[in-house]
């Protein structure tokens, strides 16, 4: 039996006036509406020496309210005009994209699929002896993929990884090389983009170096979690010592092998001993409304060029369902970071059409329906000769391995350095 959800997506793909899919989720903190949530922290401007957390907040912002259909698509107003209130960013567009991609990558086995792309992994040669060598051996077990790297196939870890020829990707120029695959794949080669880097078609990418044509594709999927009517909450903490503390007159140091010795070195606090009081700072916000507003732009997907129109429709159906599934998977647990665990209380999906202010509701039954619709759409694309390519496996190059080793060595030296 054909999936109704897949058919609904396909109908809107081929309808020129269908602008895209909108998803709206109202969230509350796990501890209740009055519980404070911790936003992500960001770097401060150069020269700003403050050690307080830096949040992305807007002092005077519009506050969304529900329209007659129940969507938060209107702006709160009073007799004088729009009502302004503080808003704080709880999860950015880039972060949301990364969560959706990673969720799809982690779910591929449950889908019964092997997703295409490039992976980079390493292996430590020999038996590690020192602590640095042991950490390096463990780190080299990490696998980076174009589904988890922030710049996807254009990421530096991909460009400078080692191929089976022993050269780095960006050193090779043969027509069948990985470099050529990356540099020749763009919105103008829809079949190649779909087969090798479908996540880039959804979440965007920018290849700005090493190619005459600077390939750039905007995100088709966009999502953001924002707290409106945000009120700052000030908290303070003091780290206690289980043994009662340590005198600053004592001296300790940690050796290269991890052994703590006393009598020389620096203050015990540098090794984690003693009590550490802090001054109260803003660490979170209580929000009147927490809203995740997401969209999947069919206009961006339609910008991809395919040689055959029916193949294009089949590919865009797969990509749309892939984005829908990634969104669903990323939002299942609601955990964003420490002190920011959110629970969805309402969620709605709808199609936006040009010339129609009202959204057309879309019923999404849940994980099984999304999974079945996606697998059917992939099967339909395969009957037209469009399929996912086998993943490409690379290794960390010697230079990349050195970068990893240098980081581990420097961090280890910081732990053992004297005050």
């Amino acid at each position: 039996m054909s999936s109704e959800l897949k058919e609904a997506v396909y109908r809107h793909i081929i309808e020129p006036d269908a602008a895209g899919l909108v998803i709206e989720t109202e969230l509350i903190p796990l501890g209740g509406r009055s519980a404070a949530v911790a936003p992500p922290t960001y770097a401060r401007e150069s020269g700003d020496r403050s050690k307080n957390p830096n949040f992305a907040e807007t002092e005077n912002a519009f506050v969304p309210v529900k329209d007659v259909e129940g969507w938060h698509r209107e702006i709160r107003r009073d007799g004088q005009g729009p009502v302004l209130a503080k808003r704080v960013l709880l999860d950015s567009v880039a972060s949301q994209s990364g969560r959706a991609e990673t969720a799809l990558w982690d779910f591929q086995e449950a889908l019964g699929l092997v997703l295409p792309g490039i992976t980079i992994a390493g292996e430590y040669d020999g038996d590690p002896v020192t602590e640095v060598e042991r950490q390096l051996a463990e780190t080299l077990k990490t696998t980076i993929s174009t589904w988890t790297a922030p710049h996807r196939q254009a990421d530096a870890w991909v460009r400078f990884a080692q191929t089976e020829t022993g050269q780095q990707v960006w050193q090779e120029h043969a027509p069948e090389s990985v470099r050529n695959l990356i540099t020749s794949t763009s919105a103008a080669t829809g079949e190649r983009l779909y087969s090798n880097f479908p996540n880039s078609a959804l979440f965007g990418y920018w290849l700005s170096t090493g190619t005459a044509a600077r390939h750039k594709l905007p995100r088709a999927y966009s999502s953001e979690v924002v707290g409106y009517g945000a009120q700052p909450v000030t908290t303070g903490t003091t780290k206690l010592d289980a043994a009662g503390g340590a005198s600053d007159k004592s001296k300790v140091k940690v050796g290269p092998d991890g052994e703590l010795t006393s009598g020389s070195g620096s203050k015990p606090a540098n090794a984690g001993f003693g009590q550490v009081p802090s001054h109260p700072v803003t660490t979170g916000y209580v929000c009147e409304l927490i809203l995740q507003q997401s969209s999947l732009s069919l206009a961006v997907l339609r910008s991809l060029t395919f040689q055959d129109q029916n193949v294009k429709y089949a590919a865009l159906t797969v990509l749309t369902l892939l984005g829908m599934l990634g969104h669903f998977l990323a939002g299942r647990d609601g955990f964003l970071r420490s002190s920011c665990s959110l629970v969805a209380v309402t969620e709605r999906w709808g199609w936006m059409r040009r010339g129609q202010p009202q959204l057309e509701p879309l019923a999404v039954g849940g994980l099984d329906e999304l999974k079945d619709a996606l697998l059917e759409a992939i099967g339909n694309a395969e009957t037209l000769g469009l399929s996912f390519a086998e993943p490409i496996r690379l290794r960390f190059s010697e230079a990349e391995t050195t970068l990893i080793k240098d980081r581990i060595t420097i961090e280890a030296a910081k732990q053992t350095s004297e005050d």
Side-chain angles (χ1 to χ4, degrees):
M1 180 183 296
S2 179
S3 164
E4 292 184 6
L5 180 59
K6 190 224 63 175
E7 292 298 328
V9 170
Y10 181 82
R11 286 196 306 272
H12 288 82
I13 290 291
I14 66 176
E15 182 185 341
D17 284 338
L21 180 65
V22 177
I23 313 164
E24 180 182 282
T25 309
E26 185 177 351
L27 304 140
I28 65 171
L30 183 60
R33 290 189 184 275
S34 63
V37 290
T41 56
Y42 298 97
R44 292 185 173 273
E45 295 292 336
S46 177
D48 186 342
R49 309 299 293 177
S50 173
K51 295 183 179 181
N52 293 343
N54 190 29
F55 305 124
E57 59 182 12
T58 303
E59 192 64 34
N60 294 303
F62 296 133
V63 179
V65 293
K66 292 182 179 179
D67 61 16
V68 294
E69 303 293 332
W71 294 83
H72 288 82
R73 297 171 63 80
E74 297 293 338
I75 294 172
R76 178 179 296 170
R77 300 174 183 274
D78 59 17
Q80 282 71 47
V83 175
L84 302 179
K86 180 177 286 189
R87 62 164 271 175
V88 62
L89 181 66
L90 297 182
D91 211 40
S92 68
V93 172
S95 174
Q96 285 281 295
S97 290
R99 292 177 193 275
E101 280 183 282
T102 301
L104 287 167
W105 178 254
D106 293 341
F107 195 70
Q108 60 180 314
E109 185 175 347
L111 279 172
L113 293 175
V114 176
L115 292 174
I118 300 172
T119 62
I120 310 102
E123 184 177 348
Y124 188 83
D125 295 327
D127 295 322
V129 177
T130 67
E131 179 61 25
V132 169
E133 290 174 344
R134 285 192 289 269
Q135 290 187 40
L136 178 61
E138 190 64 29
T139 303
L140 289 178
K141 295 178 183 178
T142 302
T143 298
I144 297 174
S145 88
T146 47
W147 290 78
T148 57
H151 296 289
R152 301 170 187 92
Q153 74 268 24
D155 200 85
W157 289 104
V158 176
R159 290 186 283 119
F160 302 111
Q162 180 179 304
T163 73
E164 59 184 10
T165 67
Q167 289 186 301
Q168 295 178 13
V169 169
W170 237 229
Q171 287 182 289
E172 299 185 335
H173 297 276
E176 68 279 3
S177 67
V178 178
R179 172 181 175 145
N180 186 63
L181 173 65
I182 294 172
T183 58
S184 63
T185 300
S186 69
T189 58
E191 290 87 354
R192 189 177 300 161
L193 185 64
Y194 173 94
S195 295
N196 293 279
F197 312 117
N199 55 318
S200 291
L202 273 171
F203 305 106
Y205 75 101
W206 184 22
L207 180 60
S208 60
T209 58
T211 175
R214 295 188 175 186
H215 304 314
K216 188 174 184 180
L217 188 64
R219 302 179 196 273
Y221 173 80
S222 179
S223 181
E224 192 176 48
V225 182
V226 174
Y228 296 93
Q231 295 297 316
V233 175
T234 300
T235 61
T237 59
T238 297
K239 179 256 185 185
L240 301 178
D241 190 294
S247 172
D248 283 348
K249 297 186 180 300
S250 298
K251 300 293 181 182
V252 297
K253 65 179 179 179
V254 180
D257 61 351
E259 181 187 11
L260 176 76
T261 57
S262 60
S264 64
S266 60
K267 298 176 182 179
N270 292 336
F273 295 97
Q275 301 182 154
V276 183
S278 67
H279 63 279
V281 296
T282 297
T283 56
Y285 294 81
V286 173
C287 302
E288 175 188 351
L289 171 68
I290 299 176
L291 204 60
Q292 178 183 3
Q293 293 177 304
S294 312
S295 63
L296 243 170
S297 171
L298 298 185
V300 172
L301 294 179
R302 291 188 185 112
S303 70
L304 304 179
T305 301
F306 290 79
Q307 298 302 309
D308 180 89
Q309 192 66 28
N310 289 326
V311 170
K312 178 173 182 175
Y313 289 153
L316 300 195
T317 302
V318 172
L319 292 175
T320 301
L321 285 164
L322 199 63
M324 293 168 64
L325 179 60
H327 173 89
F328 182 90
L329 292 171
R332 281 198 298 180
D333 61 16
F335 178 77
L336 296 181
R337 66 193 62 85
S338 180
S339 299
C340 192
S341 187
L342 304 175
V343 179
V345 290
T346 62
E347 183 173 74
R348 55 181 64 211
W349 304 59
W351 298 102
M352 187 71 185
R353 281 191 175 86
R354 296 176 185 87
Q356 296 185 17
Q358 292 81 25
L359 288 163
E360 174 195 336
L362 173 66
V364 177
L367 177 59
D368 288 340
E369 185 178 17
L370 283 165
K371 176 182 173 181
D372 292 344
L374 173 61
L375 292 176
E376 182 180 319
I378 291 173
N380 293 157
E382 289 175 346
T383 62
L384 296 174
L386 189 62
S387 59
F388 289 152
E390 290 294 320
I392 298 169
R393 307 188 190 284
L394 305 175
R395 291 174 56 89
F396 289 116
S397 64
E398 182 179 347
E400 289 178 330
T401 302
T402 300
L403 282 177
I404 296 171
K405 184 177 180 179
D406 288 348
R407 173 182 60 80
I408 294 171
T409 302
I410 291 170
E411 289 178 352
K414 286 181 180 179
Q415 296 176 1
T416 59
S417 64
E418 294 187 354
D419 189 13

